Amino acid sequence: MTAQIEREFDVIVIGAGAVGENVADRVVRGGLTAVLIEAELVGGECSYWACMPSKALLRPGTALHGAQTVPGAQEAVTRTLDPAAVLKRRDYFTSNWQDDSQVKWVEDTGIELIRGHGWITAPRHVEVAGLDGNSYALTARHAVVVATGSAPNQPPVEGLHDVEYWTTREATSARAVPPRLAVLGGGVAGVELAQAYARLGSSVTLVARGGLLSVFPEQAADLVAAGLRADGVDLRLHTGTRSVHENDDGSLTVVLDGGSKSSPTGGPKDGPGAGRADGTAHGATITADKLLVSTGRHPALEGLGLDSVGLAAPEGGTLRLTTDSTGLVHHATENDVSGNPWLYAAGDAAGRAMLTHQGKYGARATGDAIAARAKGELRGEPAPWSRFAQTASEHAVPNVVFTDPELANVGRTMAQAEKDGFRASAVELPIQVAGSSLHAEHYEGWAQLVIDEDRKVLLGATFAGPDVAELLHAATIAVVGEVPLDRLWHAVPSYPTISEVWLRLLESYGL
């Protein structure tokens, strides 16, 4: 027998992923009551289908390759990866897709949890179709927060609707390694999973309409491409996908539109279109046992009732939310900061940097701002770099591509700095220091600093090479802290570490 249950909370958070959890935690710390609404696993995408399982799939191959690049260790490496053991370790890091520990954390923190699908019916009102069969009519005294994450894009490829294919969810939770894997998309998730499966034994072909990791500096992306090719990944760059269809044996055929046809060694391959002077391959095909479509994501805002509060997608378009630095949604009914704001968006749902760490950072600011506004301690827009403002999301977003070699970036690239109107310069070097030589034989890396010439501070930094992710936080601190270069010169790197590249970059700049 179903029931209609009416409840009131200070804050209602729709979505109990890492972002929603952080918002709820901060408002409870601020003395308010909070409820999380979640139809799937508490902990969200990152815990079960993204960050954790993908890195668990990648790390064994990186560790093995690291040993193979150091004389004395490489002679002891006599085996290849054990796919079953890798998948078992992946299962451990996803808690076997059980959320008991996350639910316990929610309960211990003093947050309530309702499992079900929630949607907004009016300002401060949310209805939930509970998975327990009950219906919940919830009212928020202060705020409703949309923290529903993002959903994968589906590219306009003929036949894609008619076949079963992987998104990143299926790729990170697969129970077996496919003999042949085709990957559509040259972004972060596409390249990470392409390398993970290649090292687990798949024959992998990656198809990208543009270049590989095109938002990063070309020199850095080229090192990642070389790493993929060394692992046998067939890169088809600047190549469209025309159609997909299923074969009688259950395999899939992917028909390409043409573009660069690159073998694992970078040379031409046999097949339709091979040998053309322009490198295109019209009509070329790929046969695969599984197809991973990783062509970007969009905020998951469908079915949330946002049109009931004045927020609707443009005709023929997709709804996107705009927010202030606290996560307050612009243009929602009764949502003026000078009045009584109530609707917020956090994480991927807000359409900002779709990264778990950045979403959690924004969630902490949003939760603190909600609590402060409830107490009358915050009115209007907060000051930049205050605990209520997500200022770093505009200036210092750190991002790591966990391939081998790694690619790590924070802040602006040179192209972004110029686009944003800065008088900027760049200093860049191969990573060739004592620490890199000790780290691995034939270490190949690249580093770049982007400098604001008017203020003499860093606007951004990029590193590519084995294990460079651990260089990134120092760069993030320098960008966020706007450390003057003449003071940064006094930050002496330990010898012999890869961090010595900081000294060489500053010397190259002229300090």
Side-chain angles (χ1 to χ4, degrees), residues 63-79 440-442:
L64 178 64
H65 185 240
Q68 291 169 334
T69 61
V70 181
Q74 64 187 13
E75 290 80 4
V77 179
T78 59
R79 297 177 60 187
E441 287 283 284
H442 311 299

Side-chain angles (χ1 to χ4, degrees), residues 303-328:
L304 293 179
L306 291 167
D307 55 339
S308 69
V309 293
L311 296 166
E315 186 174 349
T318 302
L319 175 61
R320 300 274 179 171
L321 302 179
T322 57
T323 63
D324 73 359
S325 63
T326 68
L328 187 70

Side-chain angles (χ1 to χ4, degrees), residues 122-476:
R124 298 180 186 77
H125 290 275
V126 173
E127 188 170 332
V128 182
L131 298 184
D132 59 3
N134 294 320
S135 175
Y136 297 82
L138 308 182
T139 302
R141 299 183 191 94
H142 296 292
V144 175
V145 183
V146 176
T148 46
S150 58
N153 296 335
Q154 185 180 68
V157 174
E158 180 185 341
L160 194 58
H161 285 284
D162 303 321
V163 301
E164 290 189 8
Y165 62 88
W166 280 358
T167 65
T168 51
R169 276 199 171 198
E170 290 77 23
T172 57
S173 61
R175 310 310 306 175
V177 177
R180 298 167 296 182
L181 174 66
V183 179
L184 300 188
V188 175
V191 299
E192 287 185 347
L193 290 168
Q195 186 170 56
Y197 274 97
R199 288 182 164 183
L200 287 168
S202 287
S203 175
V204 180
T205 303
L206 184 148
V207 182
R209 182 174 296 277
L212 202 73
L213 300 170
S214 55
V215 299
F216 297 97
E218 184 177 355
Q219 297 93 325
D222 285 348
L223 286 176
V224 175
L228 293 174
R229 291 191 178 103
D231 284 323
V233 178
D234 183 357
L235 298 180
R236 311 288 185 97
L237 307 181
H238 306 287
T239 300
T241 302
R242 182 183 305 170
S243 64
V244 179
H245 64 265
E246 185 174 348
N247 303 314
D248 292 340
D249 63 357
S251 65
L252 299 171
T253 293
V254 182
V255 181
L256 306 181
D257 250 345
S260 170
K261 192 169 169 52
S262 172
S263 76
T265 57
K269 290 174 66 70
D270 295 333
R276 288 177 52 144
D278 61 2
T280 58
H282 292 287
T285 62
I286 300 166
T287 302
D289 301 290
K290 295 291 181 182
L291 171 65
L292 166 60
V293 178
S294 180
T295 53
R297 301 178 70 85
H298 63 274
L301 303 175
E302 297 82 2
L304 293 179
L306 291 167
D307 55 339
S308 69
V309 293
L311 296 166
E315 186 174 349
T318 302
L319 175 61
R320 300 274 179 171
L321 302 179
T322 57
T323 63
D324 73 359
S325 63
T326 68
L328 187 70
V329 176
H330 295 313
H331 309 305
T333 304
E334 301 178 15
N335 220 41
D336 186 340
V337 292
S338 64
N340 195 7
W342 66 277
L343 182 62
Y344 295 77
D348 287 9
R352 294 191 176 214
M354 292 188 180
L355 299 162
T356 297
H357 50 268
Q358 209 67 22
K360 290 164 69 174
Y361 158 76
R364 293 190 290 270
T366 294
D368 286 347
I370 291 170
R373 284 183 174 136
K375 299 172 185 176
E377 297 172 355
L378 174 65
R379 299 187 185 279
E381 284 265 12
W385 301 112
S386 73
R387 62 193 292 253
F388 308 123
Q390 305 172 38
T391 313
S393 293
E394 305 297 329
H395 302 286
V397 176
N399 190 13
V400 177
V401 185
F402 286 92
T403 46
D404 183 12
E406 292 175 337
L407 195 166
N409 166 268
V410 65
R412 293 170 171 86
T413 63
M414 188 62 188
Q416 291 165 340
E418 291 176 339
K419 180 181 177 182
D420 290 343
F422 288 93
R423 191 172 70 89
S425 66
V427 56
E428 52 200 47
L429 291 171
I431 300 178
Q432 294 176 348
V433 292
S436 61
S437 299
L438 286 165
H439 192 84
E441 287 283 284
H442 311 299
Y443 187 104
E444 287 192 64
W446 182 83
Q448 179 191 66
L449 301 181
V450 177
I451 297 160
D452 181 341
E453 288 295 344
D454 292 324
R455 294 181 298 153
K456 295 296 181 180
V457 298
L458 292 188
L459 292 171
T462 300
F463 305 96
D467 295 314
V468 295
E470 298 305 329
L471 298 177
L472 189 60
H473 196 56
T476 303

Side-chain angles (χ1 to χ4, degrees), residues 11 13 22-34 145 366-368 370-371:
V11 180
V13 182
N22 271 268
V23 173
D25 178 42
R26 300 301 279 210
V27 298
V28 168
R29 290 189 191 196
L32 306 182
T33 61
V145 183
T366 294
D368 286 347
I370 291 170

